[in-house]
Amino acid sequence: MWKYAAQTLGVVMMIVSAVNSAPAGEIPHYECAMGEVDVRVMSLVQKDLNPAILRAETDAEKAAVDRAYPDGAIHNVLNVLLLRGHGATVLVDTGYDWTADALLEALRSAGVGPEDVTHVVITHAHGDHTGGLARDGKAFFPRASIIFSDKELAYWTNPDERKAASEGTRKIFSTVSDILALYGDRVRAVAPGTAIVPELPNVRAVDEAGHTPGHIGVMVESGDKTFLFWSDLLHAFDAQTADPSMSATFDMDPAAAALVREATLKRAREEGWLVVGSHVPFTEPRVLP
Ligand SMILES: [Zn+2]
């Protein structure tokens, strides 16, 4: 259901409310232009999280979390991103395996079929970001290159790290081997700070290591406007924008995650970036107050 349409930032925004039971064909999305790049955020599903995922240690932190989530749930959507321009169709993250139908519908409503996708950027190897790469044991994107950060790919393909990992984490190593088996030499690595695809020089990977060893965000710059898809920089928007030092239990390096969260949110506020992430309660990017 269209909630409202507004004219802002010189572009037409169309916002669909993120509802629990969006009927097929109504994937909430937001679209805007960043220079010559068309940016589309798509919310595949409503996915609440338990506030217990936060590492609230002091009484003050616990009280702040209780205040932020009085009904005991962090109400989030799961966002993926589509960037289009100069012949490139770049999907950033793919959702869970169980949101594959929603991903297909989200792409279809953007006028894109899986065969049209030229690049899939995986911000990190967790299953809620890689799940849409395979369908029925086959590569879902027949033409696309699959792009990880260099550090992320190096970590999840390192046999010594795999041996040292816990059983739960070892599953993620298997996910990455499966992706390599499906996509072969179409899997590529990009260095943070550089353009992700040559067609779109104003789209860069941003180093956000901490949540995972090579976690990245995706930044689009145009003139004096900056848009950041921060992926899993945070999972509890209200609590962690208020206190960026608080990490989540699934941040692999909680201290590093806190540092990059603090620095990124500070710059986003100071420079008025438009921001959105994978696990936030909104589809339409925001400027942080
Ligand atoms: Zn995630």
Side-chain angles (χ1 to χ4, degrees), residues 216-232:
I216 50 169
V218 173
M219 182 174 277
V220 187
E221 288 166 302
S222 172
D224 58 358
K225 285 193 295 179
T226 299
F227 165 89
L228 175 66
F229 179 79
W230 65 38
S231 188
D232 285 22

Side-chain angles (χ1 to χ4, degrees), residues 59-71 238-239:
D59 286 347
E61 285 171 349
K62 286 177 189 154
V65 170
D66 288 345
R67 272 198 308 279
Y69 307 106
D71 65 351
D238 291 323

Side-chain angles (χ1 to χ4, degrees), residues 124 126 128-129 211 232 235 278-279:
H124 63 293
H126 284 163
D128 51 332
H129 301 259
H211 177 61
D232 285 22
H235 299 78
S278 308
H279 308 283

